[in-house]
């Protein structure tokens, strides 16, 4: 699994995810309907590379979450879910990731996940739904497969 697939699996494995997602975590989009989530990778950067070619990388992602938002009760429930999800994501470590970089197969693992800017991003035309965004930063390592 590449880092995007691994993080999608991490989100799917979150014990409380069924409270807020009706279906799958989409990649690169989410539909404007209740309980719909999408994970987008915004960039991937090399942080360090050693003489053997092993790498430390970071991937920035955004999770878009659309949920019912008719009243303060709904919005507090949504914000609390994103807060709890952030706490969970900060505990993620050692999830295996793979990549092929310039024809070289590499395998590694997630070292840390941090979150930022969990906030309302937009709302539906009828005002019934709010889309929240949660920025996710994934630090991971890759080593040459021998």
């Amino acid at each position: 699994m590449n880092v995007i697939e691994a993080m999608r699996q991490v989100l799917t494995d979150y014990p409380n995810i069924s409270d807020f997602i009706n279906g799958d975590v989409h990649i690169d989009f989410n539909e404007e309907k209740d309980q719909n989530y999408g994970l987008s990778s915004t960039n991937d950067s090399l942080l360090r590379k050693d003489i053997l070619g092993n790498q430390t990388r970071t991937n920035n992602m955004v999770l878009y979450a659309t949920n019912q938002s008719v009243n303060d009760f709904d919005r507090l429930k949504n914000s609390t879910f994103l807060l709890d999800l952030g706490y969970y994501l900060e505990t993620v470590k050692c999830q295996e990731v793979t990549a092929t970089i310039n024809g070289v197969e590499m395998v590694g693992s997630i070292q840390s996940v941090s979150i930022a800017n969990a906030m309302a991003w937009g709302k539906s035309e009828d005002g019934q739904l709010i889309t929240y965004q949660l920025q996710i930063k994934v630090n991971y390592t890759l080593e040459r497969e021998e």
Side-chain angles (χ1 to χ4, degrees), residues 48-55:
R48 284 185 296 282
K49 185 175 183 178
D50 68 20
I51 60 172
L52 299 175
N54 301 321
Q55 300 182 7

PDB file of all heavy atoms in Angstrom, residues 48-55:
ATOM      1  N   ARG A  48      14.793  13.601   3.970  1.00  0.00           N
ATOM      2  CA  ARG A  48      16.182  13.153   4.095  1.00  0.00           C
ATOM      3  C   ARG A  48      16.397  11.913   3.231  1.00  0.00           C
ATOM      4  O   ARG A  48      15.485  11.124   3.044  1.00  0.00           O
ATOM      5  CB  ARG A  48      16.510  12.780   5.543  1.00  0.00           C
ATOM      6  CG  ARG A  48      16.718  13.942   6.465  1.00  0.00           C
ATOM      7  CD  ARG A  48      17.162  13.501   7.856  1.00  0.00           C
ATOM      8  NE  ARG A  48      16.189  12.703   8.593  1.00  0.00           N
ATOM      9  CZ  ARG A  48      15.132  13.199   9.218  1.00  0.00           C
ATOM     10  NH1 ARG A  48      14.862  14.469   9.163  1.00  0.00           N
ATOM     11  NH2 ARG A  48      14.321  12.418   9.888  1.00  0.00           N
ATOM     12  N   LYS A  49      17.639  11.755   2.807  1.00  0.00           N
ATOM     13  CA  LYS A  49      18.019  10.555   2.057  1.00  0.00           C
ATOM     14  C   LYS A  49      19.431  10.195   2.487  1.00  0.00           C
ATOM     15  O   LYS A  49      20.313  11.065   2.522  1.00  0.00           O
ATOM     16  CB  LYS A  49      17.970  10.858   0.560  1.00  0.00           C
ATOM     17  CG  LYS A  49      18.220   9.678  -0.323  1.00  0.00           C
ATOM     18  CD  LYS A  49      18.021  10.086  -1.775  1.00  0.00           C
ATOM     19  CE  LYS A  49      18.190   8.927  -2.702  1.00  0.00           C
ATOM     20  NZ  LYS A  49      17.948   9.330  -4.103  1.00  0.00           N
ATOM     21  N   ASP A  50      19.658   8.925   2.840  1.00  0.00           N
ATOM     22  CA  ASP A  50      21.004   8.520   3.248  1.00  0.00           C
ATOM     23  C   ASP A  50      21.782   7.955   2.061  1.00  0.00           C
ATOM     24  O   ASP A  50      21.253   7.853   0.952  1.00  0.00           O
ATOM     25  CB  ASP A  50      20.961   7.567   4.451  1.00  0.00           C
ATOM     26  CG  ASP A  50      20.359   6.211   4.128  1.00  0.00           C
ATOM     27  OD1 ASP A  50      20.300   5.815   2.941  1.00  0.00           O
ATOM     28  OD2 ASP A  50      19.935   5.518   5.078  1.00  0.00           O
ATOM     29  N   ILE A  51      23.037   7.573   2.281  1.00  0.00           N
ATOM     30  CA  ILE A  51      23.881   7.119   1.176  1.00  0.00           C
ATOM     31  C   ILE A  51      23.428   5.780   0.594  1.00  0.00           C
ATOM     32  O   ILE A  51      23.812   5.436  -0.518  1.00  0.00           O
ATOM     33  CB  ILE A  51      25.369   7.059   1.583  1.00  0.00           C
ATOM     34  CG1 ILE A  51      25.584   6.085   2.743  1.00  0.00           C
ATOM     35  CG2 ILE A  51      25.884   8.432   1.944  1.00  0.00           C
ATOM     36  CD1 ILE A  51      27.045   5.841   3.071  1.00  0.00           C
ATOM     37  N   LEU A  52      22.601   5.037   1.331  1.00  0.00           N
ATOM     38  CA  LEU A  52      22.061   3.775   0.821  1.00  0.00           C
ATOM     39  C   LEU A  52      20.786   3.984   0.001  1.00  0.00           C
ATOM     40  O   LEU A  52      20.273   3.052  -0.589  1.00  0.00           O
ATOM     41  CB  LEU A  52      21.775   2.823   1.985  1.00  0.00           C
ATOM     42  CG  LEU A  52      22.981   2.416   2.833  1.00  0.00           C
ATOM     43  CD1 LEU A  52      22.536   1.571   4.021  1.00  0.00           C
ATOM     44  CD2 LEU A  52      24.001   1.677   1.991  1.00  0.00           C
ATOM     45  N   GLY A  53      20.283   5.205   0.011  1.00  0.00           N
ATOM     46  CA  GLY A  53      19.056   5.499  -0.723  1.00  0.00           C
ATOM     47  C   GLY A  53      17.799   5.431   0.125  1.00  0.00           C
ATOM     48  O   GLY A  53      16.690   5.636  -0.386  1.00  0.00           O
ATOM     49  N   ASN A  54      17.947   5.133   1.408  1.00  0.00           N
ATOM     50  CA  ASN A  54      16.782   5.113   2.299  1.00  0.00           C
ATOM     51  C   ASN A  54      16.275   6.537   2.484  1.00  0.00           C
ATOM     52  O   ASN A  54      17.059   7.486   2.506  1.00  0.00           O
ATOM     53  CB  ASN A  54      17.156   4.503   3.648  1.00  0.00           C
ATOM     54  CG  ASN A  54      17.671   3.086   3.482  1.00  0.00           C
ATOM     55  OD1 ASN A  54      17.171   2.310   2.677  1.00  0.00           O
ATOM     56  ND2 ASN A  54      18.705   2.756   4.237  1.00  0.00           N
ATOM     57  N   GLN A  55      14.958   6.676   2.602  1.00  0.00           N
ATOM     58  CA  GLN A  55      14.358   8.002   2.619  1.00  0.00           C
ATOM     59  C   GLN A  55      13.446   8.224   3.817  1.00  0.00           C
ATOM     60  O   GLN A  55      12.807   7.290   4.295  1.00  0.00           O
ATOM     61  CB  GLN A  55      13.524   8.223   1.348  1.00  0.00           C
ATOM     62  CG  GLN A  55      14.301   8.119   0.073  1.00  0.00           C
ATOM     63  CD  GLN A  55      13.454   8.400  -1.147  1.00  0.00           C
ATOM     64  OE1 GLN A  55      12.296   8.803  -1.050  1.00  0.00           O
ATOM     65  NE2 GLN A  55      14.034   8.184  -2.323  1.00  0.00           N
TER      66      GLN A  55
END
